[in-house]
Amino acid sequence: MIKASISAVPGLIAAFLILAAVLAGLTVLAARKLGRPVLLPALLATSIAGILTVTLLPGTAGVEAGQCDSGLPVHRFTSSSSLLNMDLFIPGAAISVLLFRRPATTIAPFIILSGLVEFIQAVTPLGRSCSAGDLAANATGALRSHLNWLSR
């Protein structure tokens, strides 16, 4: 599934590496200027770069703007697509909890980011389909990292 996902989006790895370097570099510069540690902010920026490249790079599926799947799949938490969507949001959400130490308030930006991604997929001709199931899986991934933190 991962191999198919990578081949469906030409230039995915190169785009990720470039965006991650730019975002992490800017984050490191900002953290140093503020006298803050740099590792967790750089990892968070890298995770966000991964989310953005995987979800917003134009795909080859030939999907037109406005094609959205509004139904939730029966196997939304067990299908390989849903599991990949959940896994995409777990690292950033977990790193944000470690960085900001506020599990309840750090989940909201990841759910908003997921909604924004699905909105962009809906209104732009990226060849990507927006999906309520993706939104649910992304939010579940962000929530899973927070539940792990809260259960400690």
Side-chain angles (χ1 to χ4, degrees), residues 27 31 34 36-45 47-48 91-110 146 149 152:
T27 302
L34 295 171
R36 307 261 189 207
V38 297
L39 180 61
L40 288 177
L43 289 173
L44 180 57
S47 175
I48 291 171
I95 293 165
S96 72
V97 171
L98 292 173
L99 183 61
F100 300 112
R101 303 275 181 194
R102 299 195 185 276
T105 56
T106 56
I107 191 170
F110 284 93
H146 287 72
W149 173 268
R152 291 201 272 161

Side-chain angles (χ1 to χ4, degrees), residues 8-108:
V9 182
L12 177 70
I13 294 174
F16 164 70
L17 292 173
I18 292 167
L19 185 60
V22 169
L23 291 180
L26 291 172
T27 302
V28 166
L29 289 174
R32 284 189 178 155
K33 184 170 182 150
L34 295 171
R36 307 261 189 207
V38 297
L39 180 61
L40 288 177
L43 289 173
L44 180 57
T46 302
S47 175
I48 291 171
I51 291 169
L52 295 176
T53 54
V54 166
T55 59
L56 295 178
L57 277 181
T60 58
V63 177
E64 294 180 23
Q67 285 185 302
C68 295
D69 176 11
S70 59
L72 292 175
V74 175
H75 302 290
R76 70 177 164 260
F77 299 118
T78 57
S79 72
S80 57
S81 175
S82 289
L83 292 173
L84 284 172
N85 277 322
M86 282 190 273
D87 290 348
L88 185 60
F89 276 73
I90 289 173
I95 293 165
S96 72
V97 171
L98 292 173
L99 183 61
F100 300 112
R101 303 275 181 194
R102 299 195 185 276
T105 56
T106 56
I107 191 170

